[in-house]
Amino acid sequence: MINLIIDGIPVEAAEDATILEAAAAAGIEIPTLCYLKDVSSIGSCRMCVVEIEGTDRMVPACNTKVKEGMTVSTKSERVLSARRTVLDLLLADHHQDCFSCGKNGACELQKYCNEYGVEHSSYNSCRADDCEDVKNSHPFLSYRPELCIRCQRCVNTCEKITGRKAIGVGKAGVFSIIEAPFGPDWKMSLCESCGNCAQACPTGAITEKRRKHYREWEVKRVRTTCPHCATGCQYDLLVKDNKIVDVQAADGPSNRGLLCVKGRSGSFDFVHSGDRLRYPLIKNQETGEFERATWEEALSLTASKFMSLKKEYGVDSLAGFACSRSPNEDIYMVQKMVRTCFGSNNVDNCARVCHSASVSGLAMTLGSGAMTNPIEDITHDVDCILLVGSNPEEAHPVVGTQIRQAVQNGTRLIVVDPRDIGLTQYADIHLKLKPGTNIMFANGMMHVMIEEGLIDEKFIAERTEGFEELKEIVKEYTPEYVAEVCHIDKDKLVEAARMYASAEKAPI
């Protein structure tokens, strides 16, 4: 640990920590505009400059490492003057139509200008008002260049977090400009419409179009879980006048502040849909039309029908089918109703149908037909990922995003799929199997691992059963035989087996 003094306060920090991190841990706030934790520390905005005793120039706190005995001042008059100058310069090219801006009240530039007393710029803008057009063709996102401060948060988020690199930095004469793909040709770009760039933007330059319908002080936040897929992304519902107007990603254990287009723009509008049933309906037997009823009427009718069927045809005439998107509490009540009220064990769920093979196999081999690790274990600090018949970029996009991140950080990726899925372009090896030959492929992988001694004999002896039988079964699945059956290159199969088996941490 490193000992230093920040604003007269003794602070202890890890030796690889930055001044910004050390100050934050001590409860000392240093303003930033371009910085994003674990994403961007380019130090271009210069809002986080601090003074270090014994040095002449001020340094950016976001990328300056702490040193033993360092004395730092974050609020000296020289530092405060420098920050006011930064804001003064930024306002010169920033249109101050705050009342019409969707980020009014949530804009970080506005916040710091208020804090440091900078109301107007003392400089003349060098940019023409019409030098860049508003890009507004995207269905969810809008880009207003006149509000951009070129902090590059959006660029770094798109490149380092989502792995798409859809947003870039260009030039217009002597000016740097952000090239956001939200114009008429947005469909031809790499943009996935996830909106993570909008959440990263400190001003109103890139925003969700929904923001124009509310202001920050008008909404309350309700933490919940995205209902779309099983990733379990956490987000906050933004509620105005008892109506959901937007969502914002939270730092949940599986999404870490990320959302996909489904979670951000496709998983809450149904709450207020005009087509949604808002009260029970009972069909009028004479007219054939559904008519509004009370909950008591509807529940009584349903219960009486169930009980009459049970009385007339027996308990096996009734069953319960649970929805996979229901919360655990609701599913628990369904099975309890079936077992206690119906007197039957006829309870089912769609997992038995679409996931029957994996549920059965996992239960047989590992004791539970469920995922064995949290998503964090699959995508963070791993050496090799084996992706078999899965397309997470489309089915579970936030997981797909994290796999792209892992590859960028050096993780090897093996894709086993007849399709050319999006992640194929990031893969070290793509085994394009003939559909229906997955088991042949798995046996071939094990054959190579056993033949080349790439297995942990001690672990197998202590932790498993039936290995000798398995060893005998896969003996005939030579690379040549498997390659012929699966329609793949035998050398790629061998390479994949070696890559996976030699990795220290390798999820499937």
Side-chain angles (χ1 to χ4, degrees):
M1 300 296 287
I2 297 295
N3 295 288
L4 67 157
I5 295 175
I6 304 178
D7 292 342
I9 301 172
V11 175
E12 190 178 62
E15 62 180 356
D16 62 342
T18 63
I19 295 174
L20 182 67
E21 291 168 337
I28 301 169
E29 182 183 357
I30 297 176
T32 63
L33 283 173
C34 67
Y35 173 79
L36 275 180
K37 182 175 171 57
D38 300 326
V39 179
S40 175
S41 57
I42 57 177
S44 66
C45 73
R46 317 309 282 184
M47 272 299 290
C48 69
V49 291
V50 295
E51 278 192 294
I52 299 175
E53 190 176 279
T55 61
D56 293 331
R57 64 184 182 89
M58 291 179 288
V59 299
C62 67
N63 58 20
T64 302
K65 301 290 186 181
V66 296
K67 291 183 179 179
E68 183 66 35
M70 178 184 277
T71 299
V72 180
S73 177
T74 73
K75 295 182 176 66
S76 69
E77 186 50 45
R78 185 184 177 200
V79 167
L80 297 181
S81 176
R83 291 176 185 163
R84 282 191 285 266
T85 301
V86 167
L87 295 170
D88 193 349
L89 288 165
L90 287 174
L91 284 188
D93 287 333
H94 188 83
H95 287 210
Q96 291 178 255
D97 53 347
C98 295
F99 287 142
S100 64
C101 178
K103 288 291 282 289
N104 188 13
C107 172
E108 294 176 46
L109 179 62
Q110 182 186 58
K111 169 191 170 184
Y112 290 133
C113 283
N114 288 335
E115 183 178 330
Y116 287 86
V118 181
E119 297 181 5
H120 304 285
S121 178
S122 60
Y123 299 94
N124 294 321
S125 175
C126 296
R127 304 177 71 182
D129 288 347
D130 59 352
C131 66
E132 297 171 86
D133 295 326
V134 173
K135 295 183 178 180
N136 206 33
S137 300
H138 194 283
F140 307 124
L141 299 164
S142 177
Y143 174 50
R144 294 179 60 186
E146 77 277 11
L147 300 181
C148 178
I149 60 173
R150 277 84 68 191
C151 66
Q152 299 185 42
R153 278 193 191 179
C154 58
V155 177
N156 287 307
T157 296
C158 194
E159 177 180 345
K160 297 178 181 178
I161 299 300
T162 69
R164 297 303 288 172
K165 302 181 182 179
I167 303 176
V169 181
K171 284 285 186 181
V174 297
F175 298 107
S176 295
I177 59 171
I178 300 300
E179 296 177 333
F182 307 141
D185 58 346
W186 72 271
K187 288 185 178 180
M188 305 301 293
S189 73
L190 294 172
C191 176
E192 288 184 334
S193 307
C194 65
N196 291 310
C197 56
Q199 186 158 329
C201 181
T203 68
I206 298 180
T207 58
E208 294 277 353
K209 290 183 175 181
R210 298 187 294 272
R211 285 203 73 99
K212 66 183 180 182
H213 299 302
Y214 69 92
R215 293 295 181 264
E216 196 71 15
W217 58 85
E218 298 177 315
V219 299
K220 65 176 183 178
R221 295 170 180 268
V222 181
R223 181 65 53 86
T224 189
T225 303
C226 177
H228 193 87
C229 74
T231 302
C233 296
Q234 294 280 288
Y235 60 38
D236 291 331
L237 298 175
L238 274 55
V239 182
K240 175 185 176 182
D241 298 331
N242 209 32
K243 182 177 180 180
I244 302 169
V245 292
D246 207 349
V247 300
Q248 197 166 72
D251 188 17
S254 62
N255 63 311
R256 300 297 183 194
L258 294 177
L259 285 178
C260 71
V261 63
K262 302 174 186 181
R264 196 182 297 275
S265 300
S267 290
F268 69 92
D269 288 348
F270 66 86
V271 174
H272 305 292
S273 170
D275 295 328
R276 184 173 182 177
L277 293 180
R278 299 181 182 276
Y279 40 77
L281 302 173
I282 296 176
K283 182 177 284 188
N284 186 316
Q285 297 301 320
E286 295 181 3
T287 65
E289 298 293 325
F290 281 105
E291 297 176 355
R292 182 170 179 171
T294 66
W295 279 105
E296 183 63 34
E297 291 170 337
L299 292 171
S300 295
L301 176 63
T302 305
S304 65
K305 293 291 186 182
F306 278 143
M307 292 303 98
S308 64
L309 287 170
K310 176 182 176 180
K311 185 176 180 180
E312 184 173 355
Y313 300 106
V315 295
D316 285 337
S317 64
L318 299 174
F321 195 88
C323 168
S324 64
R325 295 191 183 188
S326 296
N328 288 341
E329 293 81 1
D330 290 354
I331 293 177
Y332 174 80
M333 291 306 297
V334 168
Q335 65 85 27
K336 187 171 185 178
M337 179 185 72
V338 173
R339 290 190 166 100
T340 58
C341 300
F342 293 177
S344 165
N345 287 322
N346 298 332
V347 186
D348 210 345
N349 178 269
C350 70
R352 186 188 62 80
V353 182
C354 62
H355 289 293
S356 58
S358 57
V359 168
S360 176
L362 286 168
M364 185 186 301
T365 57
L366 300 176
S368 175
M371 194 166 163
T372 57
N373 294 68
I375 291 169
E376 179 91 2
D377 284 3
I378 300 173
T379 58
H380 292 74
D381 189 27
V382 291
D383 304 300
C384 180
I385 298 173
L386 178 58
L387 196 66
V388 185
S390 176
N391 190 357
E393 281 186 315
E394 294 185 6
H396 304 90
V398 170
V399 178
T401 293
Q402 293 182 27
I403 290 176
R404 290 197 297 255
Q405 280 183 47
V407 172
Q408 284 185 340
N409 294 330
T411 299
R412 313 298 292 274
L413 176 62
I414 304 168
V415 173
V416 182
D417 202 306
R419 305 162 296 179
D420 288 314
I421 63 172
L423 285 171
T424 302
Q425 63 181 304
Y426 302 94
D428 294 274
I429 300 173
H430 178 202
L431 294 174
K432 210 168 182 178
L433 298 184
K434 177 183 177 183
T437 62
N438 295 46
I439 292 176
M440 296 285 191
F441 151 76
N443 287 344
M445 290 277 282
M446 288 188 284
H447 173 95
V448 175
M449 294 177 193
I450 293 170
E451 288 296 311
E452 297 193 2
L454 302 175
I455 59 176
D456 188 336
E457 299 274 6
K458 184 174 182 293
F459 183 95
I460 291 170
E462 293 176 351
R463 308 286 187 102
T464 70
E465 299 173 354
F467 176 70
E468 291 303 322
E469 183 181 355
L470 171 71
K471 186 176 181 181
E472 193 62 34
I473 289 172
V474 302
K475 188 177 291 184
E476 64 183 89
Y477 290 89
T478 63
E480 292 76 15
Y481 173 58
V482 173
E484 182 181 351
V485 175
C486 296
H487 294 187
I488 58 175
D489 187 307
K490 69 178 181 65
D491 293 331
K492 282 190 175 182
L493 174 68
V494 173
E495 185 183 358
R498 290 171 179 168
M499 185 180 294
Y500 179 80
S502 60
E504 184 178 346
K505 303 173 185 175
I508 303 176

